C-alpha cells in the first residue's frame, strides 16, 4: 500500500512527494509490531534503493509469512536522487542535519518533521546509508558508546561485518537516527558501499540481516538465512590515515583485507612530473574497512581506516 507521507509544491507546478510502501498481513489483529526502513536521505546514496526493492520482492513472494508491519521509505530526498546531488539541490541543505524538523519550517524541515511523525510509534527503524563517492565502506553499524545495550543487540542481528562503537559523537544530534532514539524509537544507521553506486552483494547481505531482525521481532515467520557475527570495535582500535599531499592516490591494498604495520597502503603520485609525492604505510596491523575510492586527493583527504587487533 503506497501512500504519501508528505507533499510539497514546487515552482512551475511540480510537486515533490515522499512516499511510503506499507506491507502488512491481510488480517490485522492490532498487536502487530512495526519496522520502518528509511533510505535516500542523501541523493547520492543509492545502496538502499536495492535493499528496499529486494525486501519488497521477497516479502511479496511469501506474503503469508508476514506477521507484522514493514514500512519502507525508499527516497527521502527525491530531488537529490534525480539530480545526483548529495544534499537537497537548489537549497544546498544537508537533509540529515535538520531533524527533528519543523512542520512550519522550510521545505527540508517540513519534510523531516512529517517523516519523524510518521515513524513515531514504530518498534524499530533502520536508516540505510552508503558512503559518499570518495570512500568505500564495508557493511557496518556505527554506535555512540553511551547508547544502550538493546541497540547493540539489534545491530548484531543485521548481518554486518562490523559494529563501530565510537567514543565520540559519530551519530549527530540533528540526524534522523538520533532524533528517533530520543523519542523512544530504537533506530540504527547502516553504512555500506560507495556513493552513486549499488553493490548488490552488500545489498543482499543487509536484506538477509533485516529478515533476521524481522524474525526476532516476530514480524516474519518464514525461514531466514544464517547471519555472520560482526566484529565489535571494542575488540580493536580504529586508526585513520589522511593524505599529506595533493595528487592522485594509487592503492596497493584491497578493501576488507588484512594489513600489517609498515605495509604499503599506496602512493600519492604527480602524473605531470611522474613522481611519487607521498608513500603511505600502515601505522598499525588490522583490517581495512574504509578505503579511498575516488583517486584525486588533497591534503587532509581520508585515505583509509584500519581496525586494529583483528585479521581476516
Amino acid at each position: 500500500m503506497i501512500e504519501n507521507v508528505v507533499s510539497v509544491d514546487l515552482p512551475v507546478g511540480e510537486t515533490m512527494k515522499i512516499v511510503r510502501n506499507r506491507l502488512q498481513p491481510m488480517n490485522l489483529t492490532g498487536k502487530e509490531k512495526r519496522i520502518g526502513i528509511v533510505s535516500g536521505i542523501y541523493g547520492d546514496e543509492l545502496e538502499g534503493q536495492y535493499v528496499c526493492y529486494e525486501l519488497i520482492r521477497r516479502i511479496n513472494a511469501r506474503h503469508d509469512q508476514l506477521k507484522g508491519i514493514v514500512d519502507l521509505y525508499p527516497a527521502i530526498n527525491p530531488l537529490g536522487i534525480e539530480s545526483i546531488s548529495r544534499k537537497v539541490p537548489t537549497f544546498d541543505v544537508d537533509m540529515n542535519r535538520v531533524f527533528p524538523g519543523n512542520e512550519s519550517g522550510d521545505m527540508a524541515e517540513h519534510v523531516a518533521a512529517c517523516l519523524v511523525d510518521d515513524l513515531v510509534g514504530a518498534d524499530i527503524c533502520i536508516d540505510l546509508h552508503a558512503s559518499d563517492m570518495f570512500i568505500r565502506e564495508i557493511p557496518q553499524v556505527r554506535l555512540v558508546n553511551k547508547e544502550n545495550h538493546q541497540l547493540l543487540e539489534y545491530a548484531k542481528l543485521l548481518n554486518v561485518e562490523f559494529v563501530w562503537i565510537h567514543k565520540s559523537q559519530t551519530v549527530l544530534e540533528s540526524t534522523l537516527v538520533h532524533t528517533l532514539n530520543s523519542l523512544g524509537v530504537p533506530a540504527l544507521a547502516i553504512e555500506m558501499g560507495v556513493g552513486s553506486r549499488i553493490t548488490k552483494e552488500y545489498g543482499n547481505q543487509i536484506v538477509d540481516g533485516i529478515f533476521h531482525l524481522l524474525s526476532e521481532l516476530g514480524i516474519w515467520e518464514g525461514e531466514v538465512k544464517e547471519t555472520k557475527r560482526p566484529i565489535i570495535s571494542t575488540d580493536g582500535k580504529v586508526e585513520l590515515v589522511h593524505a599529506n599531499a595533493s595528487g592522485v592516490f594509487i592503492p596497493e591494498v584491497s578493501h576488507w583485507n588484512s594489513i600489517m604495520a609498515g605495509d604499503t597502503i599506496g602512493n600519492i603520485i604527480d602524473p605531470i612530473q611522474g613522481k611519487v609525492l607521498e608513500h603511505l604505510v600502515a601505522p598499525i596491523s588490522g583490517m581495512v574497512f574504509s578505503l579511498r575510492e575516488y583517486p584525486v586527493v588533497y591534503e587532509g583527504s581520508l585515505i583509509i581506516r584500519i581496525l586494529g587487533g583483528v585479521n581476516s
Side-chain angles (χ1 to χ4, degrees):
M1 180 170 51
I2 298 176
E3 297 177 313
N4 282 347
V5 176
V6 56
S7 298
V8 178
D9 290 335
L10 300 174
V12 296
E14 294 182 320
T15 301
M16 184 190 76
K17 297 179 180 178
I18 309 299
V19 298
R20 178 194 69 203
N21 190 353
R22 169 164 289 183
L23 306 178
Q24 61 186 27
M26 294 294 292
N27 298 309
L28 294 173
T29 65
K31 298 180 179 178
E32 288 80 10
K33 289 192 173 182
R34 175 161 68 100
I35 184 172
I37 307 293
V38 175
S39 176
I41 287 181
Y42 290 115
D44 65 346
E45 296 186 354
L46 304 178
E47 302 279 9
Q49 303 295 300
Y50 175 75
V51 173
C52 288
Y53 156 78
E54 185 65 7
L55 279 169
I56 294 169
R57 188 190 69 79
R58 292 192 198 180
I59 290 172
N60 283 339
R62 290 302 310 269
H63 195 272
D64 58 307
Q65 306 288 341
L66 182 62
K67 303 302 175 185
I69 298 171
V70 181
D71 284 337
L72 298 110
Y73 309 75
I76 304 305
N77 179 10
L79 298 180
I81 293 175
E82 290 174 5
S83 60
I84 322 175
S85 171
R86 185 166 181 79
K87 297 181 180 179
V88 180
T90 305
F91 305 96
D92 196 32
V93 172
D94 185 333
M95 190 72 207
N96 209 24
R97 297 293 182 272
V98 298
F99 289 97
N102 181 347
E103 285 200 34
S104 302
D106 62 23
M107 183 187 75
E109 290 178 310
H110 179 68
V111 168
C114 292
L115 177 63
V116 170
D117 186 59
D118 206 61
L119 285 165
V120 167
D123 293 279
I124 189 169
C125 176
I126 305 298
D127 183 14
L128 299 168
H129 287 267
S131 180
D132 56 25
M133 63 181 287
F134 301 104
I135 299 290
R136 177 173 291 278
E137 302 278 6
I138 60 162
Q140 61 193 268
V141 173
R142 296 178 183 177
L143 298 175
V144 180
N145 61 358
K146 68 179 182 181
E147 290 178 329
N148 64 45
H149 176 73
Q150 182 191 33
L151 288 179
L152 177 58
E153 294 306 308
Y154 285 144
K156 291 178 180 176
L157 299 173
L158 289 170
N159 206 27
V160 294
E161 307 283 355
F162 176 39
V163 178
W164 185 5
I165 302 175
H166 202 281
K167 62 182 178 182
S168 65
Q169 194 78 349
T170 56
V171 181
L172 301 174
E173 293 184 359
S174 55
T175 62
L176 173 64
V177 164
H178 186 277
T179 296
L180 291 176
N181 280 314
S182 300
L183 295 172
V185 180
L188 293 164
I190 295 178
E191 297 272 353
M192 60 178 159
V194 66
S196 303
R197 298 287 185 275
I198 288 177
T199 312
K200 190 176 178 182
E201 173 191 354
Y202 289 167
N204 287 329
Q205 178 179 335
I206 296 304
V207 169
D208 290 341
I210 291 175
F211 269 101
H212 196 188
L213 176 62
L214 297 180
S215 178
E216 289 291 323
L217 293 173
I219 295 174
W220 181 256
E221 70 172 14
E223 291 186 7
V224 295
K225 295 181 180 178
E226 188 173 344
T227 54
K228 57 185 67 182
R229 187 182 181 89
I231 298 169
I232 310 298
S233 68
T234 50
D235 294 338
K237 173 185 176 185
V238 174
E239 191 76 29
L240 285 66
V241 176
H242 295 86
N244 292 310
S246 299
V248 177
F249 172 62
I250 307 296
E252 297 291 339
V253 295
S254 298
H255 197 217
W256 201 227
N257 274 353
S258 58
I259 191 169
M260 301 298 293
D263 282 356
T264 296
I265 295 172
N267 292 314
I268 298 174
I269 63 168
D270 182 342
I272 296 177
Q273 301 187 65
K275 67 179 184 180
V276 174
L277 301 173
E278 184 179 6
H279 178 69
L280 298 161
V281 297
I284 61 172
S285 299
M287 295 290 290
V288 177
F289 74 92
S290 306
L291 182 62
R292 185 81 182 180
E293 179 81 7
Y294 190 73
V296 176
V297 299
Y298 300 95
E299 285 187 46
S301 296
L302 177 63
I303 299 295
I304 195 171
R305 291 191 187 100
I306 302 171
L307 176 62
V310 296
N311 295 297
S312 59

